[in-house]
Amino acid sequence: MTSPQTQSEIDEQNDPPLLRDNPFSPFRYPVFRAIWLANVFSNMGSMMQSVAAAWLMTELTHSKQLIALVSASVSTPILLLGVIAGAIADNYDRRRVMMAAQFGMLLVSTSLALLTWLDLINPFLLLACTICVGIGTALNSPAWQASVRQQVERKELPHAIALNSMAFNIARSIGPALGGLLISLWDISLAFALNALSYVALICVLLWWKTEPRKAERRPILPAVAVGLRFCFSSRPIRSILMRGWVVGVSLAAFQALLPAIVRQQLDGDEVKYGLLLGAFGIGSIIAAPFVRPLRLRIKLNGILALSALLLVVVFTVIAEVHSVLAAVPAAFGAGTVWVAALTSLNTAFQLRAPNEILGRCMSIYQSVTIGGMAMGAWTWGMVADWHGIPFALHVASALLVGALVLMHFLAPLPQPGEGIIKDW
């Protein structure tokens, strides 16, 4: 039992009272460790495909809106189908749901590689393939997020969430640079083919993982969806987190959605330099990840979001004005720190306030709101950039984040420490 003074030091706005422990302690669990490693390789393949698809679109069209839609096409299905996918994750074995999604994405990525290699690809076929990958992601994501509770003990959950974010960002730091290199040395179709192979490792781990049967009350999909929606939108703590997740998603989307156009048209760069900036983004995310929780203990979620918003203003201002890739590298690094600090903190705050029996639906709603915000943001900022230029779009995106967070601070305050925390899982 900790003393009141020590306990107050580890209480935070997003987490229940937890003992300080090793941030890498979830690796003690073989299942978590195996899935984490497989996810690193799978995410690395996804990042290579993302870079290749975005760069391919710049070769197929000069429209900034179509270029930005490559990013939006992966995330839009999560907005449209995510809640239904959450009900599926709660109604069925989550491991089997993830396997089905991985097999589907394997088939789509293989088809995309063949179409590109045979020179049969066009902007609309490319968008169709990335949309299909987005559908697989929409199905996979709620089941994967909810399955973390089956992999580690409760006290490890915040660290497990941070490590999963780190896995994604390790892939983000290596995958884009590797993808850019492969495109320059060989062919864009190679990046698509390697992504198809990357799904195999995760499929093998899921086949190896034998979970204990999870007691689930099966309901028809639409009534099950309604239960999750009612809970999320009737809970004031959950609702305030969701609002911020949407705003953060919309604003941050400007970086990734416009980056291919920024590199090609503003910085006069190539695919290798594009991969370099995405790699700097990922490295910023990795380096920042271990410091997010200690910082959140000191300044709370409100402080994390305020600091992220101010840093984003600086980052977007720099990117809007520079005309050299090397000058843009520090800004890309800063964008990565903003990404991991804001989204990891919101994810942790949300998961700890969602009941286990409807966790898949709750996480799908969170994913739909945040990633749906990114899809809407990608389309919006691409349209704004076509209308009034890239710098203007970046300035508006940063102003939106700052203004919205200030407004919500007064109209929809975040929950108090411990408010809404679920105790019974």
Side-chain angles (χ1 to χ4, degrees):
M1 179 69 67
T2 56
S3 67
Q5 182 178 1
T6 303
Q7 190 66 61
S8 68
E9 292 172 356
I10 63 174
D11 281 346
E12 59 178 309
Q13 191 157 337
N14 315 293
D15 301 333
L18 299 173
L19 292 175
R20 286 183 184 270
D21 53 4
N22 187 339
F24 300 101
S25 57
F27 286 138
R28 294 185 293 113
Y29 302 89
V31 169
F32 178 85
R33 186 169 62 244
I35 292 177
W36 188 90
L37 287 170
N39 262 313
V40 169
F41 289 106
S42 181
N43 288 331
M44 195 178 300
S46 297
M47 289 307 304
M48 286 192 292
Q49 176 161 303
S50 177
V51 169
W55 196 256
L56 178 59
M57 187 62 86
T58 67
E59 295 180 353
L60 298 174
T61 180
H62 294 292
S63 168
K64 298 182 187 68
Q65 190 170 350
L66 280 176
I67 294 169
L69 280 177
V70 174
S71 174
S73 64
V74 177
S75 48
T76 298
I78 299 176
L79 173 64
L80 300 178
L81 305 174
V83 179
I84 294 174
I88 293 172
D90 285 334
N91 274 353
Y92 299 96
D93 178 34
R94 290 165 182 164
R95 183 182 70 94
R96 293 181 180 273
V97 172
M98 288 189 283
M99 285 177 56
Q102 296 295 323
F103 272 116
M105 290 187 284
L106 169 61
L107 292 175
V108 172
S109 294
T110 302
S111 301
L112 179 57
L114 288 173
L115 286 170
T116 305
W117 183 58
L118 296 172
D119 201 23
L120 298 175
I121 200 70
N122 61 52
F124 300 102
L125 268 177
L126 177 59
L127 286 176
C129 288
T130 54
I131 286 172
C132 288
V133 171
I135 292 171
T137 303
L139 180 62
N140 180 78
S141 187
W144 175 61
Q145 294 267 4
S147 71
V148 177
R149 290 188 182 183
Q150 296 173 259
Q151 300 168 28
V152 301
E153 296 178 12
R154 176 188 175 88
K155 68 177 183 178
E156 311 281 10
L157 184 61
H159 293 317
I161 294 170
L163 287 172
N164 281 334
S165 177
M166 184 181 292
F168 180 72
N169 289 308
I170 288 172
R172 190 198 297 276
S173 66
I174 300 172
L178 184 57
L181 182 63
L182 290 173
I183 293 170
S184 64
L185 293 179
W186 190 260
D187 185 75
I188 289 178
S189 62
L190 179 60
F192 298 146
L194 289 176
N195 179 52
L197 288 175
S198 74
Y199 292 117
V200 175
L202 190 51
I203 290 171
C204 290
V205 171
L206 291 173
L207 287 169
W208 163 77
W209 180 27
K210 304 301 181 183
T211 59
E212 295 182 6
R214 184 176 60 87
K215 295 180 180 179
E217 181 184 351
R218 291 200 178 174
R219 299 187 180 190
I221 294 296
L222 291 182
V225 167
V227 170
L229 289 171
R230 266 198 310 271
F231 171 79
C232 287
F233 292 102
S234 64
S235 167
R236 192 196 67 79
I238 289 287
R239 198 167 57 242
S240 65
I241 294 168
L242 286 174
M243 292 171 64
R244 285 161 177 81
W246 185 83
V247 170
V248 169
V250 170
S251 302
L252 286 179
F255 178 83
Q256 284 195 311
L258 296 177
L259 190 61
I262 292 169
V263 173
R264 184 180 281 276
Q265 299 173 19
Q266 180 177 311
L267 305 180
D268 195 27
D270 55 18
E271 60 271 22
V272 175
K273 293 177 181 177
Y274 174 52
L276 174 65
L277 287 182
L278 280 179
F281 181 94
I283 292 171
S285 301
I286 294 170
I287 292 176
F291 300 101
V292 173
R293 177 173 166 80
L295 184 61
R296 199 167 64 239
L297 289 168
R298 292 178 176 275
I299 65 175
K300 312 300 181 189
L301 182 55
N302 261 328
I304 287 284
L305 294 178
L307 188 62
S308 297
L310 293 176
L311 183 55
L312 191 73
V313 171
V314 175
V315 165
F316 281 4
T317 300
V318 171
I319 293 177
E321 300 302 326
V322 300
H323 295 280
S324 162
V325 171
L326 290 179
V329 166
F333 181 92
T337 65
V338 171
W339 185 285
V340 75
L343 293 180
T344 299
S345 298
L346 288 169
N347 188 311
T348 302
F350 190 91
Q351 281 216 41
L352 291 168
R353 290 172 170 84
N356 193 45
E357 61 272 15
I358 59 169
L359 181 59
R361 279 161 282 181
C362 290
M363 291 311 302
S364 70
I365 292 167
Y366 173 79
Q367 292 289 327
S368 295
V369 170
T370 55
I371 299 181
M374 292 178 195
M376 186 178 299
W379 175 78
T380 300
W381 305 129
M383 185 172 58
V384 171
D386 272 336
W387 168 57
H388 212 275
I390 291 172
F392 180 77
L394 293 172
H395 292 318
V396 173
S398 58
L400 171 67
L401 181 59
V402 173
L405 290 180
V406 170
L407 190 63
M408 283 188 288
H409 178 74
F410 296 102
L411 299 182
L414 283 165
Q416 295 299 312
E419 182 183 355
I421 295 292
I422 301 298
K423 308 289 186 183
D424 58 350
W425 68 272

